[in-house]
Amino acid sequence: MTTATDPSPSLIQRLRGLSTEVIKFGIIGVVGLVVNAGVFWACLQGQGLVKSLSGVIATAVAIGTNYLGYRYWLYRDRDAASRKREITLFLIFSGIGLLIENGILAFSVHVLGYTSSASQLVAKNVVGLIAGTVFRFFSYRTWVFKALPELADGEEVVSEAELLLAEQAPAPKAEAKA
């Protein structure tokens, strides 16, 4: 009597894989925070426009650093067929995460009336950061850095570009009967 084995991973195996992904995501996030703080501090030492835009400059550099970490370390085995699409989605979801963080801050100040520096720090850098990070984690892994489909034995990976070329190729002409 033979038994068939289920090719899909068990819940425990999936959770182990997810926990590793969460840890790596967190490491990249911490690196991004350090880069953000360092660039912010360096820009504050400058003058004029650099000092005025220090928050924007620091966030942009941190987003770029995070993208490199996600693409070349955490999600290096994921589909990279369309970098333009990937980068566009990454920037969109990073922006939404930024809005979530600052939206929580605005809600705590303007609706709840928490105006002290300590309460604003907690709202933005604890509650907002956690909510924004959870959003980014699931959006990046679901839409930005998409997993490659599982392949059966003998199948090969075909990129989106190859599929488009195949669709645009002229169909073979039927031979005329004599």
Side-chain angles (χ1 to χ4, degrees):
M1 177 173 168
T2 60
T3 59
T5 58
D6 186 16
S8 63
S10 70
L11 178 61
I12 292 176
Q13 290 170 325
R14 286 185 286 180
L15 288 176
R16 276 192 198 123
L18 187 63
S19 68
T20 301
E21 186 177 345
V22 167
I23 290 168
K24 287 182 175 182
F25 191 89
I27 290 169
I28 293 168
V30 168
V31 169
L33 282 172
V34 170
V35 167
N36 191 329
V39 171
F40 183 69
W41 182 83
C43 289
L44 287 177
Q45 306 311 307
Q47 295 180 14
L49 191 59
V50 170
K51 189 171 185 174
S52 299
L53 295 175
S54 57
V56 173
I57 294 168
T59 300
V61 172
I63 286 172
T65 303
N66 286 356
Y67 175 78
L68 295 173
Y70 296 134
R71 166 47 45 220
Y72 296 106
W73 184 49
L74 177 56
Y75 296 121
R76 69 180 173 269
D77 60 337
R78 300 283 178 100
D79 185 15
S82 175
R83 288 293 162 104
K84 184 177 178 181
R85 176 198 147 280
E86 179 180 278
I87 291 171
T88 301
L89 288 175
F90 180 81
L91 292 174
I92 289 169
F93 289 123
S94 293
I96 293 171
L98 183 107
L99 291 174
I100 289 170
E101 291 174 29
N102 289 292
I104 289 172
L105 173 62
F107 179 80
S108 71
V109 170
H110 300 293
V111 175
L112 301 177
Y114 297 142
T115 56
S116 73
S117 296
S119 63
Q120 290 181 39
L121 184 67
V122 168
K124 170 131 180 24
N125 292 334
V126 177
V127 179
L129 184 63
I130 290 170
T133 299
V134 168
F135 168 78
R136 286 183 191 106
F137 175 76
F138 286 107
S139 61
Y140 292 167
R141 76 183 312 265
T142 304
W143 293 294
V144 179
F145 303 103
K146 293 168 55 168
L148 290 170
E150 293 292 323
L151 299 177
D153 289 336
E155 284 187 297
E156 64 180 72
V157 176
V158 178
S159 71
E160 289 178 29
E162 290 173 316
L163 289 173
L164 285 172
L165 287 174
E167 289 174 0
Q168 294 174 354
K173 294 182 181 181
E175 292 183 26
K177 293 184 179 180

